Amino acid sequence: IKPISPILAQLASLDYSTLLPASFKVVAEILYPLNKAKINKEALESLTCKTIPSQCKSLRAIVWRVLLGYLPLNAKEWKNLMDEKNRIYESFKEESIPSPVSVYTEQGATPNAVDEVSTIDTKPQNSSYFKGGKDPCEQIDNDVVRTMPDTEFMSKPSLESTKLGEKETHATVLSRMLKIYSKLNPGISYIQGMNEILAAIYVIYEEGSLSGYEEYVEADTFFSFSLLMGELYSNFLKTFDKTKCGVNLTLTKMSQVLKVVNPKIWKRMHDEEIECKFFAIKWLLLLYAQEYSIDQVALLWDAILSKKDRLNFAVFIGVVLILSQEKDIMAGDYSDIIQAIQVAPTKITVPNLIYHSELLFKQHSNLLKCLQAESYNSI
């Protein structure tokens, strides 16, 4: 079938010969709906939840753009939209955004920075989980230095700058995007953790950039991040903490699903006065971006982004992580249980996690819809 756009033509021409037959079939099945005059998004979502093969970085980068609603459902319109968004983003860059951090390689990445992005307090009386009070630009620079500390990605030059003969690092690009977002969205500005979400999108788009499209990566990342934040913002804002919206509702959902799926675990945690907020806030805020390597996050986000109810699916992922530690939870005391749950992401493979989360999601998704409806009716 002849590709209907240059981007699809380039995707179709990539070398997929090293893929196993099953993986090659997934790629072919995904390319087919993308090449329609109007993409069947439900079909694309259904295929993507099977997870895109790790080697197919360019395909994943395009699929994510579509799933996030950035690219339209007609591939013929992609290039025009990308050109337009790139022009808009360039105008943002020209509005005197302060120069971002440029000393990444000298400062290095703090080994314990992962714990500083979101303050997870295991004390029931303290539900504050954001550190604040700093100027957004200063905070952004500090957080960018600590983003993805286990890789060298942030210290390397971006593809676009390399193409232009410059050496602008990924850290500089990430910092600039966050500052622009903060300036354009004063209602939420910048909150720690946004750097991790943006970084995940940026890495996928940068490493999956097609030849000749490097200049679009930053703008595409920025607008895709903005769309995702439109879904996540209530979880980030403190003003929603004590309402029946935002992260409190999401945490309630997790507890309720756990109670239905495994009453014994729920009761054991309840008896020890362990609430989901003691360990799950970072999971839900960052969509598990800090729990795994970027390659594993890519697989997990394939499944998350393929859902219309993304935040609800993230709840089921958390429930599966808790269930995976049943033995230690049932046998341990307060500290043992907290510790067991916090290390749960290291005890179950991502493909296994996705598989069991999908099963639970299909079985109990109506429960979450009922909780959502109840919360709206009571406001």
Side-chain angles (χ1 to χ4, degrees):
I1 300 175
K2 184 178 179 181
I4 63 175
S5 78
I7 293 175
L8 283 177
Q10 195 172 134
L11 274 180
S13 68
L14 296 176
D15 184 9
Y16 299 109
S17 62
T18 60
L19 295 177
L20 296 173
S23 296
F24 184 84
K25 182 181 178 183
V26 170
V27 171
E29 288 176 339
I30 290 175
L31 284 172
Y32 183 75
L34 287 176
N35 201 46
K36 295 291 185 179
K38 182 176 181 180
I39 296 170
N40 184 332
K41 197 170 182 180
E42 288 188 0
L44 183 63
E45 290 167 346
S46 176
L47 291 165
T48 306
C49 74
K50 299 178 181 178
T51 69
I52 299 167
S54 299
Q55 308 96 306
C56 303
K57 295 183 177 181
S58 295
L59 179 61
R60 172 174 284 111
I62 293 298
V63 169
W64 280 22
R65 285 167 166 89
V66 175
L67 294 179
L68 285 167
Y70 173 65
L71 287 181
L73 297 182
N74 186 342
K76 292 180 180 179
E77 300 172 3
W78 289 356
K79 182 62 165 58
N80 287 338
L81 180 134
M82 291 166 68
D83 285 335
E84 178 186 358
K85 294 294 187 181
N86 205 27
R87 284 193 294 270
I88 293 172
Y89 185 74
E90 285 300 316
S91 71
F92 295 160
K93 288 168 63 175
E94 293 170 3
E95 294 180 2
S96 303
I97 299 299
S99 297
V101 64
S102 58
V103 289
Y104 184 90
T105 54
E106 295 178 13
Q107 294 185 9
T110 307
N112 295 325
V114 109
D115 298 323
E116 298 179 21
V117 173
S118 295
T119 303
I120 311 300
D121 198 330
T122 58
K123 297 178 181 179
Q125 66 271 23
N126 191 346
S127 63
S128 175
Y129 48 88
F130 293 122
K131 293 182 178 180
K134 293 186 177 181
D135 174 76
C137 291
E138 178 187 353
Q139 189 65 63
I140 287 168
D141 285 343
N142 290 337
D143 289 347
V144 165
V145 167
R146 298 189 290 253
T147 303
M148 298 176 62
D150 297 328
T151 74
E152 297 179 353
F153 178 83
M154 288 298 162
S155 63
K156 293 182 177 180
S158 68
L159 291 175
E160 182 184 10
S161 70
T162 301
K163 189 175 180 180
L164 296 174
E166 301 170 355
K167 293 184 178 180
E168 185 176 59
T169 66
H170 294 305
T172 300
V173 177
L174 191 73
S175 180
R176 177 168 58 236
M177 286 189 284
L178 289 168
K179 289 174 182 177
I180 292 174
Y181 181 84
S182 174
K183 183 176 182 179
L184 294 176
N185 298 273
I188 186 169
S189 186
Y190 170 77
I191 298 172
Q192 288 177 298
M194 290 181 181
N195 55 309
E196 299 291 341
I197 295 172
L198 179 62
I201 299 172
Y202 179 48
V203 171
I204 296 304
Y205 286 13
E206 176 77 356
E207 294 187 345
S209 178
L210 292 167
S211 177
Y213 290 88
E214 296 88 354
E215 67 179 289
Y216 298 98
V217 169
E218 186 174 348
D220 287 4
T221 300
F222 175 82
F223 287 109
S224 295
F225 168 74
S226 298
L227 288 165
L228 184 56
M229 281 305 303
E231 301 176 29
L232 301 177
Y233 80 96
S234 63
N235 277 354
F236 274 88
L237 288 174
K238 277 186 175 182
T239 54
F240 288 92
D241 280 3
K242 295 181 180 180
T243 70
K244 294 185 178 180
C245 300
V247 75
N248 275 347
L249 174 61
T250 311
L251 292 166
T252 299
K253 289 178 179 179
M254 183 176 289
S255 178
Q256 291 300 313
V257 171
L258 179 62
K259 186 176 183 180
V260 170
V261 173
N262 194 315
K264 290 183 179 179
I265 289 182
W266 181 88
K267 186 177 185 305
R268 182 75 191 98
M269 291 172 58
H270 180 73
D271 289 344
E272 290 290 337
E273 299 183 346
I274 295 174
E275 300 178 42
C276 290
K277 69 179 180 181
F278 301 165
F279 53 82
I281 289 178
K282 187 172 69 171
W283 291 353
L284 297 168
L285 288 181
L286 309 185
L287 298 180
Y288 306 91
Q290 278 195 336
E291 310 308 316
Y292 301 99
S293 68
I294 186 58
D295 290 339
Q296 296 302 299
V297 169
L299 297 178
L300 190 58
W301 279 29
D302 283 350
I304 292 173
L305 297 182
S306 70
K307 303 292 183 295
K308 291 182 175 65
D309 298 324
R310 289 167 188 153
L311 292 181
N312 283 346
F313 185 67
V315 166
F316 283 94
I317 292 172
V319 171
V320 171
L321 288 174
I322 296 170
L323 295 178
S324 70
Q325 298 298 89
E326 179 173 9
K327 182 178 178 180
D328 290 338
I329 291 172
M330 297 306 296
D333 59 16
Y334 180 97
S335 298
D336 295 332
I337 295 171
I338 291 290
Q339 176 64 23
I341 295 174
Q342 287 177 335
V343 302
T346 67
K347 303 297 183 179
I348 181 172
T349 66
V350 169
N352 221 4
L353 177 60
I354 293 171
Y355 173 77
H356 289 289
S357 300
E358 291 278 0
L359 286 180
L360 282 184
F361 187 65
K362 290 175 182 177
Q363 293 170 3
H364 300 287
S365 59
N366 285 336
L367 171 63
L368 296 191
K369 291 178 182 177
C370 292
L371 284 170
Q372 188 85 36
E374 288 174 7
S375 69
Y376 287 148
N377 291 335
S378 61
I379 293 174

